[in-house]
Amino acid sequence: MTAASKTFSSGEWLQSDSDPLVISGPCSAETEEQVVSTAKMLAKIPQVKIFRAGIWKPRTRPGMFEGVGEIGLTWMNRVQSETGLKVAVEVANPPHIEMALKHNIDILWIGARTVVNPFSLQELANALKGIDIPVMVKNPVNPDINLWIGAIERVINAGITRLAAVHRGFYFFDKSPYRNAPMWEIPIELKRLFPRIPVICDPSHICGERELLQGVAQKALDLEMDGLMLESHINPDSALTDPQQQVTPEELEHIIGKLIIRAEKGNREFESKLEELRSEVDKIDAELIHILSRRMELVDELGYYKRDNNITILQLKRWSNIVRDRLKTGLNSGLEKDFLQKLLEIVHNESIRRQTEIYKRKK
Ligand code: PEP
Ligand code: MN
C-alpha cells in the first residue's frame, strides 16, 4: 500500500457550505490595488472561499514578468484581514515556503512545472516537514499520473495532512481547442486510487481562453470534482500573465450562477431505474470483452496461418477494406466517426502486436 492510500486523512478542510467550492483570484499579483480590489469583489460571491494569486511566476523565458515577489504577500495579508477570505500562493522552492509562512499565508500550492521534477518536490517536502499547512498539488505538465501521485506522496510523507490535488490539464502535442488537454481519465483515476484526496479542477489553465470555461467547469462538477479554481482579474485584458483565460469577478459570478449542481444520488425510484440501466451496461461490457477475446483468438489463429505460409502481417488493402466496412456499419448504428476510428485503431494495434509475437515464436 502506498503512503497516500494508507495515511492520508481527509479533505474536510475544503468542505464548503456553498456548492461548489471556488478558489479564485488573479493569475499573478500585479499591484496592491489590483489584488485588494479583485479580492473584495470576489468575496461577495458566496462560493468563493479562497483567494489565489501567483507571487512568483514560473516563466518560459527570462525577462518575462516573474511576479512581484515577497511584497505581494503583504497584499495577501490585506486580503485576509479585509475580506475574511483564506489566501493561497504558489511555492516552487524552500525560500518561497519560508516567506509564505512568515507572512501567514493560509494555503500553499505546488505548480505544474514543479511537480514534473521529483528533486524539486523532495526539496519542498523537506521544507514542509513539521509544518501544519494545507497544500494543493497541481498535476504535472505531462500526462503521467505517477508523477502526480509521487508528488502527493512526498508531501504526505512530510507530514502534511490537509491536501488537495488540482487538475489543470496536460500538455498535448496535437491540435486541441484547449491550452492543456483535460484528459479527464487521469484525475478520475487519481480519485479512484485515492478517494480521500479532494480533486479541484482548474478550468482556467485547461481552457486558456474564457469562452471555454463554462463547459469545462460544468464537466468538472458532473465528474464529481470537489471544487473549482478559476482565475479572475479586475481587468483581464491588461493582465500581465494569462490574459485570455481570466475573467472579471462579475463574469466569474455569472459562470458560477449558470453551473448546474447535480446530485450524486436521487430518490428510490430513480435509483432503481439507474441500477437497472447499470446492470444492463455491465452485461453488455462483459459481452464486449468476451467478443473481443474471441476476436483475438481468431487473430492468433490467422497469425499462425500467415506465419506458416510466409505472408506479411499487415495487408494494407485488407485493413483499408475493414476500416471502410466497419465505419459504414458503425455510422449506420449511430456511432461517431472519431470514436469508431479510435476503436478500430486500438483493436488493430493489439491484433498486430499479438501477431508480431506469434511471428517471433519458432514454428
Ligand atoms: C497558476 O496557477 O497560475 C499556474 C502557474 O498554474 P500551473 O502551474 O497549473 O501552470
Ligand atoms: Mn495562470
Side-chain angles (χ1 to χ4, degrees):
M1 200 179 242
T2 58
S5 59
K6 191 173 62 199
T7 61
F8 184 68
S9 58
S10 74
E12 272 148 36
W13 67 280
L14 271 178
Q15 297 285 302
S16 162
D17 47 0
S18 328
D19 228 7
L21 167 99
V22 176
I23 301 170
S24 186
C27 179
S28 303
E30 296 167 8
T31 65
E32 183 165 4
E33 157 66 14
Q34 168 244 6
V35 166
V36 175
S37 58
T38 309
K40 283 188 173 163
M41 291 174 81
L42 290 173
K44 296 194 191 126
I45 307 173
Q47 290 86 349
V48 177
K49 303 285 185 204
I50 300 169
F51 181 78
R52 58 145 285 153
I55 300 292
W56 302 281
K57 299 304 294 179
R59 303 320 305 280
T60 309
R61 308 267 311 262
M64 295 166 93
F65 175 66
E66 291 186 330
V68 292
E70 191 171 1
I71 181 81
L73 298 173
T74 64
W75 309 341
M76 297 301 262
N77 292 147
R78 273 195 62 194
V79 172
Q80 287 168 313
S81 61
E82 293 177 32
T83 68
L85 291 171
K86 294 218 178 308
V87 298
V89 302
E90 175 176 350
V91 291
N93 58 35
H96 292 165
I97 295 184
E98 201 181 307
M99 283 184 262
L101 292 172
K102 189 173 99 190
H103 289 276
N104 294 316
I105 297 302
D106 301 293
I107 300 157
L108 307 178
W109 90 78
I110 305 176
R113 287 164 196 77
T114 310
V115 175
V116 289
N117 184 349
F119 287 128
S120 298
L121 241 298
Q122 196 51 50
E123 279 181 20
L124 289 177
N126 294 343
L128 285 169
K129 279 217 173 83
I131 293 160
D132 180 24
I133 189 166
V135 177
M136 304 192 288
V137 181
K138 287 205 164 194
N139 68 251
V141 177
N142 48 327
D144 179 346
I145 192 171
N146 285 318
L147 264 180
W148 199 3
I149 291 173
I152 291 170
E153 286 177 333
R154 285 178 206 275
V155 170
I156 290 173
N157 289 344
I160 296 294
T161 57
R162 288 175 293 166
L163 195 74
V166 180
H167 167 229
R168 49 77 80 200
F170 303 88
Y171 173 77
F172 194 60
F173 60 90
D174 218 346
K175 268 210 301 279
S176 148
Y178 301 110
R179 177 178 173 192
N180 290 292
M183 304 175 109
W184 295 100
E185 63 280 11
I186 297 180
I188 289 170
E189 180 65 359
L190 188 79
K191 273 173 104 48
R192 189 182 71 78
L193 293 171
F194 305 105
R196 284 144 94 194
I197 297 183
V199 181
I200 306 285
C201 179
D202 170 350
S204 303
H205 291 89
I206 291 175
C207 296
E209 57 172 293
R210 43 189 92 103
E211 285 67 32
L212 300 172
L213 293 173
Q214 186 82 51
V216 170
Q218 184 64 54
K219 177 137 184 187
L221 298 188
D222 292 341
L223 295 175
E224 287 193 2
M225 297 295 148
D226 301 279
L228 300 170
M229 182 189 271
L230 286 152
E231 288 183 339
S232 177
H233 190 290
I234 30 161
N235 187 0
D237 289 329
S238 73
L240 297 180
T241 55
D242 292 350
Q244 299 96 325
Q245 69 194 34
Q246 302 203 61
V247 290
T248 61
E250 290 96 330
E251 285 162 339
L252 181 81
E253 188 169 15
H254 188 68
I255 289 173
I256 295 174
K258 276 188 20 194
L259 289 171
I260 301 164
I261 310 288
R262 293 182 234 269
E264 191 184 330
K265 278 194 184 323
N267 59 31
R268 287 251 303 272
E269 191 188 335
F270 166 86
E271 283 295 313
S272 73
K273 180 73 186 162
L274 201 65
E275 271 318 305
E276 189 186 312
L277 291 171
R278 280 183 177 151
S279 76
E280 201 69 20
V281 169
D282 292 349
K283 255 196 315 214
I284 290 183
D285 278 352
E287 274 172 41
L288 262 178
I289 288 172
H290 180 73
I291 289 176
L292 273 175
S293 128
R294 183 75 198 107
R295 185 191 201 277
M296 291 305 162
E297 277 168 24
L298 288 171
V299 161
D300 287 357
E301 217 173 294
L302 260 167
Y304 286 115
Y305 193 66
K306 285 192 287 189
R307 180 197 67 181
D308 295 348
N309 290 285
N310 270 334
I311 292 171
T312 54
I313 292 183
L314 178 69
Q315 278 124 37
L316 256 184
K317 198 147 166 247
R318 156 91 180 141
W319 176 237
S320 308
N321 288 341
I322 289 189
V323 173
R324 194 171 343 104
D325 177 73
R326 308 300 191 262
L327 276 181
K328 197 165 150 224
T329 313
L331 290 172
N332 284 339
S333 308
L335 295 172
E336 289 282 329
K337 188 169 174 202
D338 192 42
F339 167 72
L340 283 165
Q341 270 166 338
K342 282 189 195 139
L343 180 69
L344 288 171
E345 201 173 301
I346 291 173
V347 172
H348 189 232
N349 284 347
E350 176 61 4
S351 305
I352 289 184
R353 189 195 65 76
R354 290 178 79 107
Q355 295 192 344
T356 308
E357 285 303 313
I358 288 168
Y359 273 52
K360 279 194 226 150
R361 281 180 219 148
K362 290 214 163 50
K363 275 189 203 173

